Amino acid sequence: SGMGSEWPAVPFIELCSHSAFGPRFSGEAYAVDGNVATLRTTDIRADGRIEYSTMPLAKLDLAKFRQHLLQSGDLVITRSGRVGTTAVFVEHRLPVLPGAFLICFRLRTDRADPKFYTYFFNSPEGQHLLSSVATGSAQQNLNITSVHRLRVPMPPLSVQKRISRILGVLDDKIEQNRRMSQTLEAMARALFKSWFVDFDPVRAKSEGLDTGLPDEIDNLFTDAVELSDWGEIPCGWQPTALGDLCERPQYGFTASATDQAVGPRFLRITDINKRPWIEWASVPYCEASETERRQYRVKPGDVLIARMADPGHGVMIEEDTGAVYASYLIRFRPIDHRYDRFLQYWLRSDDYWSLVDGYRTGTTRASLNAQVLSAFRLVLPPPALADAFGTQVSGLRSLLTRNVSESTILSEARDHLLARLMTGARTDRPKERVEGARL
């Protein structure tokens, strides 16, 4: 059922009590000890959440900007970058000024729930409306008048609030999962750094201190360091090169990506370089013959490293999805799988990135090839220790991957629900009338 059939549509201006562009001020105003936080388009995530922690501070005479300061419940809509992303400002410990590329709408609280309209404008239907009035071909832009004229649904206020509460519960759970996953990832990185970069347990033992580790792990660490051409390394650890740990590296597969499930999932650089995990649900598909599938199928433990576009960015495959990998990636398959997790976190270490950067600085936007990567050097702990690290990290990572797949299911449910609720499919109809509707 179309939007109009259930709820009246009104020009958006009828719901606004005050609208304004964010003010302009000189870049010199930015200051670490500023008295006001500034909200930029980049502080607003695609899902409409504001990243309060990334907002820069400025020192300004607040009297001059008083009428521009954000109030709790204000709607902000971006008009550059991802045009039309909408967020609701809640509150912050400091006064907050919106940047010049935001439009702020203060809603009439007797008729409009700000959270509901945030959901509406971020829904496919709302995005379609906003882009229909965005002007300019090269650089899209929104102006206040054209947004004011948009006809938006106006369910009763109690219904708006119920909808935003239901969607909010799903959003909060997705956000909670995201935070937990980031914490788990930070724990794994910290463990790698402690054991294999700072050699904390080795240094503790050499000074006769307690490592705080269970005996079976404590016993795997030596209590002495030796000097090598690498500087100090724990006795018995082996300096080696990535190529020596892995089977012959292999370049990926050239194909075109599609959202249709025509074959296996097709893993590309853009699927691995955004987050420290893969969101398989959003990885596209490609056509591949039996031979190609066999040759390019990724297996758990495979390390893939980008050779261009985002050179050096790597991932270790943790799930067997039958996916194949694209040609800008190079596969390094560890010979001894006890080193899988060690390599996964070595790829995220400062040591690894300084090798990548050292190589990149010499040339413009260099592409890393298999030969260069194979020669990357690293200090290898004994297999039993790498294995103990693997056990610890696998526990953290399995929680993390479970979180990610749960969030995938939740966000699909949220998007279905959002589409249904925004098109006015009433949630309180008699049951038999809803039977035919797909959720």
Side-chain angles (χ1 to χ4, degrees), residues 364-385:
T364 50
R365 209 75 185 119
S367 72
L368 287 168
N369 58 35
Q371 198 181 350
V372 169
L373 286 163
S374 294
F376 276 10
R377 297 173 71 194
L378 63 164
V379 178
L380 217 54
L385 185 50

Side-chain angles (χ1 to χ4, degrees), residues 393-413:
V393 167
S394 296
L396 300 173
R397 292 295 300 189
S398 64
L399 272 175
L400 190 149
T401 46
R402 200 168 69 210
N403 262 347
V404 172
S405 51
E406 182 186 89
S407 288
T408 299
I409 294 164
L410 289 171
S411 56
E412 280 169 10

Side-chain angles (χ1 to χ4, degrees), residues 239-281:
T240 183
L242 177 63
D244 298 335
L245 288 178
C246 298
E247 295 173 20
R248 212 173 142 226
Q250 187 191 354
Y251 288 85
F253 173 54
T254 307
S256 26
T258 164
D259 291 333
Q260 265 59 55
V262 292
R265 297 251 185 212
F266 185 47
L267 197 65
R268 305 151 308 157
I269 292 174
T270 111
D271 304 309
I272 70 164
N273 67 358
K274 307 259 192 308
R275 306 175 187 79
W277 56 78
I278 297 171
E279 292 188 348
W280 284 104

Side-chain angles (χ1 to χ4, degrees), residues 110-232:
D110 57 331
R111 321 183 66 174
D113 173 54
K115 231 174 149 184
F116 172 83
Y117 285 98
T118 299
Y119 282 121
F120 170 70
F121 281 126
N122 286 332
S123 73
E125 185 142 2
Q127 287 290 295
H128 178 75
L129 266 186
L130 287 170
S131 63
S132 71
V133 296
T135 56
S137 46
Q139 190 61 53
Q140 293 241 297
N141 205 338
L142 285 172
N143 67 49
I144 292 177
T145 326
S146 53
V147 177
H148 274 167
R149 286 197 198 122
L150 293 175
R151 296 182 70 78
V152 299
M154 196 182 91
L157 190 58
S158 61
V159 174
Q160 293 178 31
K161 289 191 161 151
R162 195 162 80 223
I163 290 175
S164 54
R165 199 165 56 238
I166 293 168
L167 294 169
V169 167
L170 288 171
D171 267 349
D172 289 346
K173 181 65 181 132
I174 293 167
E175 180 62 11
Q176 203 182 328
N177 281 357
R178 193 182 75 94
R179 291 219 177 116
M180 182 177 166
S181 297
Q182 284 177 327
T183 303
L184 292 164
E185 169 65 9
M187 287 165 72
R189 285 188 191 197
L191 189 67
F192 181 91
K193 185 174 185 302
S194 171
W195 286 14
F196 305 125
V197 178
D198 301 333
F199 310 132
D200 289 337
V202 177
R203 297 192 190 283
K205 287 176 87 161
S206 71
E207 290 165 28
L209 303 169
D210 187 8
T211 59
L213 296 168
D215 284 352
E216 69 273 15
I217 294 177
D218 180 283
N219 295 335
L220 300 171
F221 283 96
T222 167
D223 61 1
V225 290
E226 56 192 10
L227 266 176
S228 70
D229 52 354
W230 290 63
E232 281 191 333

